[in-house]
Amino acid sequence: MALQLCNLVSKNLSCPRLVLTVALAFLGGVAASGQERSVTERSDSLPPATKTSKPPLRKGAGNYNLQLVKSNLTVSAMGERDPVKFIQTLPGISSGLEGGSAYFVRGGNLGGNVLTLDGVRIYGTSHLFGITSVYSPDLVGSLDFSVGGFSSGEDNLTASHIRIRSTEEFSSKSGRSASVSNFIIGGSAGQRVIGDRLSVFAAARIAPVKAEWNLLKGYAAEKSEYAACISDVSAAVYDLYAKVLFKESSRSKYALSFFNSHDAYWYRYKDSEDNALWGNLVVNLEHDWNSLEGNNLLGVSYNRFATSQGQKMFSYLTTNAMAIRSSIEEVEARFHRHRKRSGVRTLSWDAKARYTVYNPGSSVSIAGEGVVFPTYSPMGNNYRKTASGMLGVQEEWNSPGKYEARVAARASLSAFMPGKPSKAEVVASPEAGVMLRRYLPGNFCIEATADYLVQYNHTLEGVPMGWSLDMTVPSCKGFPPEKTGQVYTGLMYSWGCYSLSAGAYAKRMWNLVYYSDATSLFSSAMAGWEDNIDVGDGWSKGMEILAERTGKVLSGRIAYTLSKTDRRFGSVNHGVVFPSKFDRRHILNVSTEIKFLDNLRTEAGITGFFTYQSGTLETVPVGREIAFDIFGDRIVESNVFTTINNYRMPAYIRLDAGLYARFSKDRHPQYLGIGVYNVLNRHNPCLINYDTEKGEWRKISLIPLMPSLGYRLEF
């Protein structure tokens, strides 16, 4: 029956039943898939497109240039251009549950990935429970992705960094755009106000969740008993970005930007009311100026992120209400100086100071005249304050055609302030990063990176969808900072329009957190989340291969990863090493683009994407044991487990295809993309659930064949 996963999520996962209401029913995936074990959900369908300038994907060892995302060659949900979907296809990356934005870099945790917009960290990175990214593609001026060889200005991370710089094209000309896809409506506008000196830009999107539900609920109710029990649905989903740019002179400019995103959902299911919401609020002021010595940037920002989940259940004479809340409020000042010292040498300095207030909490109440004793535990404030600082310096050498090198060092200091009478806990940690590229005769290049990284907060990860409902807490005495050491070495070869790189990495991780209650987060509302965390270590090693062709007619990319990732925690699996849930041993991604029309007014082509991935790991019982209860008068059966993550799911295989077209390239450009996700309609199992009625474990698939549509107009 379609939507079986709804019941699984509502009982066992960290978000209420609303997840499937939005991610499946709202997105048009509530129809039965034709197999009882499968449920449907809006897919990360392939929005086909093209590249114009075809820049190389590899920017250097451990770095990728993703500016091509502005040209739409990405794997994205609902026809939207989404760089995260593209990142999930790169070597060294393991994706989370199908359709979500979760990605795990070289065996690291999801919380070790950082996304910054103009230097400010965005804590809540997704809309619609991880289905798509939280920011409009229209605001992206450039986008880089790093997995190694980090610079001196990149701190408080252990896995990867997505760096987004907002567009400034609007400062030289006026421009407007409007776009629509399966589920999101967006637009942007830029305008010069005082010549070339003062310009304004704004981009906004909205997802009409409630309208789509009202349109589809009749059909959903016919196909699913679960959907028929949903009522009183309401939702609000949007993001807004605005920027004012003032050019004081040709060498000095100021930028004031504002970013706000909001996801809120409410609905009623039978005898319960569920809600979930999260949102970002960022205000950022930057001053960028050039001098004879080099480039300088000074920034000050205010950042707030808040998330909450709630559920109220009504039974006979009893009302049971539970809620979980988490917020982060941060003020940061940062400085960067970039100075060219000689023909091949460049020196940079970085400094940051931030003050962060965390406020995680939970509450529970049971009231009424039923058999359960009344209980009341209020939410209350649980402020946890930290102050941190970072000083960094790096030296770069760049001799074109000969070598590139960078050595970066950072000194980080973090003070956790629990309040009186406890004293502040101060942790100081050195960090470093090294990158080397040596060009050899015959178009060969040797690459190597090495990093030692420290992160001063932990993400208590729930369902691996990449949504923004996970709780973030600061590091302290009981939960020391996460640390990572990694090395990579490889060889790159390029000829004409082809490039090939192959390398191997080894990664060691310390102080990782294991959240044992991640699959039933509401249960921790009674016990407190601190009681369900264990701290341990991790290891990962692997081989990465990337082959790319960029041509006028045919372009393509093949990415392959062979890896192994393990974890060890003292109170989990008896302290014995066990494989990570997303230890996908083999990952193969193949992307192609064929342009069959290209003239002054029209450009059109077809795209394809194929992926093969080893299945994720689940924990299943190996048998049943029989015993008597404490009174000795009744037989009790229980499951017998051997180790954590002892069963590997079947391989994940998917084929996507699409068609794109650009019209009127010289005046009022338009873009139209039509994609088909999962062309083979293959039901890839990604979860397992125990059917209590039939007494058997069942595999659950999420997304069958799914179309997508995207249209964009510039005027």
Side-chain angles (χ1 to χ4, degrees), residues 2 20 67 83 122 125 139 149 276 289 298 319 343 359 405 442 463 547 557-559 569 576 664 666 670 678 708:
L20 271 301
Q67 295 186 30
I122 305 298
T125 60
L139 67 85
W289 73 98
L298 177 65
T319 300
N359 190 14
V463 184
R557 185 179 71 254
I558 300 175
F569 298 91
V576 179
S664 303
D666 55 342
Q670 302 174 61
N678 196 4
S708 70

Side-chain angles (χ1 to χ4, degrees), residues 1 10 52 68 113 175 202 255 308 337 346 431 513 600 624 712:
M1 180 182 68
S10 65
T52 52
L68 55 87
N113 303 317
S308 69
R337 180 177 176 82
T346 303
E431 299 179 67
V513 295
L600 295 177
R624 305 273 289 178
R712 175 182 169 83

Side-chain angles (χ1 to χ4, degrees), residues 306-319:
T307 176
S308 69
Q309 303 173 64
Q311 187 178 81
K312 184 181 291 186
M313 302 183 66
F314 306 95
S315 59
Y316 180 70
L317 300 178
T318 303
T319 300

Side-chain angles (χ1 to χ4, degrees), residues 185-254:
I185 301 171
S188 65
Q191 183 66 50
R192 292 179 297 176
V193 180
I194 305 176
D196 291 333
R197 301 192 65 185
L198 183 64
S199 306
V200 295
F201 174 80
R205 299 186 303 170
I206 185 172
V209 177
K210 185 175 182 179
E212 286 220 352
W213 169 254
N214 290 334
L215 180 65
L216 297 171
K217 63 181 180 181
Y219 180 72
E222 294 179 1
K223 298 295 183 180
S224 170
E225 295 178 3
Y226 176 83
C229 298
I230 299 175
S231 61
D232 300 330
V233 175
S234 183
V237 181
Y238 68 84
D239 58 70
L240 172 65
Y241 176 82
K243 181 177 181 180
V244 178
L245 180 65
F246 175 68
K247 292 185 177 181
E248 183 180 31
S249 66
S250 59
R251 293 187 174 184
S252 176
K253 60 184 177 183
Y254 294 84

